Amino acid sequence: MPSEDSRDLYAILGVSREATQEEIKKAYRKLVRKYHPDANPGDAEAAERFKKINLAYEILQDPQKRAAYDQYGTLGDAPPGGAPFGGFGPFGDIFGDIFDSFFGGAGRPSRGPVRGENIEVSLSISLEDAFSGVTREVSVPRQETCGRCGGSGAEPGSEVRTCPSCRGSGQVETQQRTPFGTFVSVSQCRDCNGSGKKIDSRCANCGGSGRVRTRHTVEVRIPPGVDSGTRLRVAGEGMEGSQGGPPGDLFISIKVESHPLFERDRDDLHARLDLKYPQVVLGASVEVPTPEGTDRIEIPPGTQGGKTFRVKGKGMPRLRGSGRGDLYAHVFIEVPRDLSEKERTLVEALAQEMNVPIQSTGLMDRIRQLFS
Ligand SMILES: [Zn+2]
Ligand SMILES: [Zn+2]
């Protein structure tokens, strides 16, 4: 049976998940020298190890395969909910073929380590938090090893016996004779759910499952620049594994709330810039809102409604890569609804000067007076 670490490619090479390609190569070369069959004649364990090292390297040295592996953490278990990308997506075959030969197929009933399920949590954050990044505490459901029985499922002090149905193997075979021969199918033992053990008295805390549902607070650091649809992975914060398997991962799906001032388009922001008639006619220095405050821009004389000004580098930070997107200020010309007496006179004078027909209230007043 594989130990917990034998499914972790990084552990096989003895490097961290953050290791550079160069470090992986170095670690690989060292291990290959150590476990090479020529250096260990007749040592079956070393030979097996040598094969695993080569397999791990085959995946980790290829950035694409490595990324796919990173996304799913370890091999052999599909993400919960039946795999959004169909198992391991384009890499399913590669991983499946390689690892089936070593660790047995994922579909086969097995008492070996089983990786815990992944957990998916959605999280709404404000645009401000998406801009600056934020740390949030997320409460996630989890299955943990029962503290009362230590995961055995048996009431402390009671006996755990070998399952009589499967004699401890955890699986049962059924034979079927057909004209084409005898077919043997292997399935998980129902009496012990594949554990191979039978419990006299079930643990009062977990009911014999060996696991309890809890909630668990995970501190999640949300980097600047996330957008709706961003999926963050927190390794090892998913469901606990069973039979010594590693835990699953926690995935955080981000939703960025809408903002009263800004509309977001990937890394760019769009804002409405309300200007008064004299400002667009004569030009002005005005303030535009930015995520961190305001910025001053120059409006040239004769600016038309609908014109867009780009404020470079004042958009959202880029999640991947450096720098920021741009801010676009869209000009809207504000037409006043309530004019003071003086403003009215001035606008009327302007209309007269420009020789444009208007509805003169002065004239209307005089007509009204005539007929009252
Ligand atoms: Zn228990
Ligand atoms: Zn059994």
Side-chain angles (χ1 to χ4, degrees), residues 16 25 31 35 44 61 68 80 93 100 113 133 138 156 171 272 314 317 338 349 368:
S16 77
K25 202 187 225 170
L31 289 170
Y35 291 100
Q61 57 89 29
D93 294 342
D100 276 4
V138 178
Q171 21 181 287
R272 187 187 163 104
K314 289 291 177 175
D338 299 303
R368 243 183 246 123

Side-chain angles (χ1 to χ4, degrees), residues 163 165-166 170 189 191-192 196:
C163 171
S165 305
C166 61
C189 172
D191 287 344
C192 61

Side-chain angles (χ1 to χ4, degrees), residues 146-208:
C146 172
R148 185 176 169 87
C149 62
S152 73
E155 186 69 5
S158 76
E159 219 177 318
V160 180
R161 291 178 294 121
T162 302
C163 171
S165 305
C166 61
R167 279 181 244 102
S169 70
Q171 21 181 287
V172 285
E173 280 181 16
T174 40
Q175 292 196 359
Q176 206 182 350
R177 276 171 189 276
T178 76
F180 309 105
T182 302
F183 283 85
V184 179
S185 63
V186 179
S187 55
Q188 183 172 287
C189 172
R190 283 194 196 175
D191 287 344
C192 61
N193 288 323
S195 69
K197 292 179 192 117
K198 197 87 188 164
I199 293 156
D200 272 349
S201 171
R202 289 173 192 277
C203 167
N205 190 35
C206 63

Side-chain angles (χ1 to χ4, degrees), residues 54-260:
N54 278 298
L55 285 170
Y57 182 64
E58 189 182 320
I59 288 167
L60 295 185
Q61 57 89 29
D62 180 330
Q64 248 192 330
K65 288 181 195 170
R66 184 183 176 184
Y69 172 71
D70 281 347
Q71 177 140 23
Y72 296 111
T74 50
L75 301 157
D77 304 291
F85 312 107
F88 295 109
F91 304 99
D93 294 342
I94 301 164
F95 287 165
D97 290 352
I98 291 172
F99 280 82
D100 276 4
S101 58
F102 272 94
F103 307 126
R108 196 175 67 87
S110 163
R111 288 186 298 139
V114 178
R115 183 175 173 268
E117 284 190 350
N118 294 335
I119 298 174
E120 187 99 28
V121 170
S122 67
L123 186 64
S124 275
I125 61 168
S126 66
L127 188 85
E128 282 86 352
D129 285 346
F131 173 76
S132 53
V134 68
T135 300
R136 279 286 179 84
E137 288 199 334
V138 178
S139 173
V140 291
R142 254 179 105 160
Q143 276 203 319
E144 285 181 342
T145 303
C146 172
R148 185 176 169 87
C149 62
S152 73
E155 186 69 5
S158 76
E159 219 177 318
V160 180
R161 291 178 294 121
T162 302
C163 171
S165 305
C166 61
R167 279 181 244 102
S169 70
Q171 21 181 287
V172 285
E173 280 181 16
T174 40
Q175 292 196 359
Q176 206 182 350
R177 276 171 189 276
T178 76
F180 309 105
T182 302
F183 283 85
V184 179
S185 63
V186 179
S187 55
Q188 183 172 287
C189 172
R190 283 194 196 175
D191 287 344
C192 61
N193 288 323
S195 69
K197 292 179 192 117
K198 197 87 188 164
I199 293 156
D200 272 349
S201 171
R202 289 173 192 277
C203 167
N205 190 35
C206 63
S209 69
R211 293 146 75 76
V212 284
R213 277 203 168 270
T214 56
R215 284 195 90 80
H216 170 83
T217 303
V218 179
E219 207 166 80
V220 181
R221 208 186 60 76
I222 297 159
V226 293
D227 201 351
S228 289
T230 301
R231 209 157 160 261
L232 303 171
R233 173 174 170 269
V234 188
E237 293 290 359
M239 292 289 185
E240 211 176 70
S242 58
Q243 264 90 247
D249 296 331
L250 170 67
F251 286 93
I252 311 277
S253 299
I254 300 288
K255 187 183 179 309
V256 179
E257 293 155 6
S258 60
H259 192 275

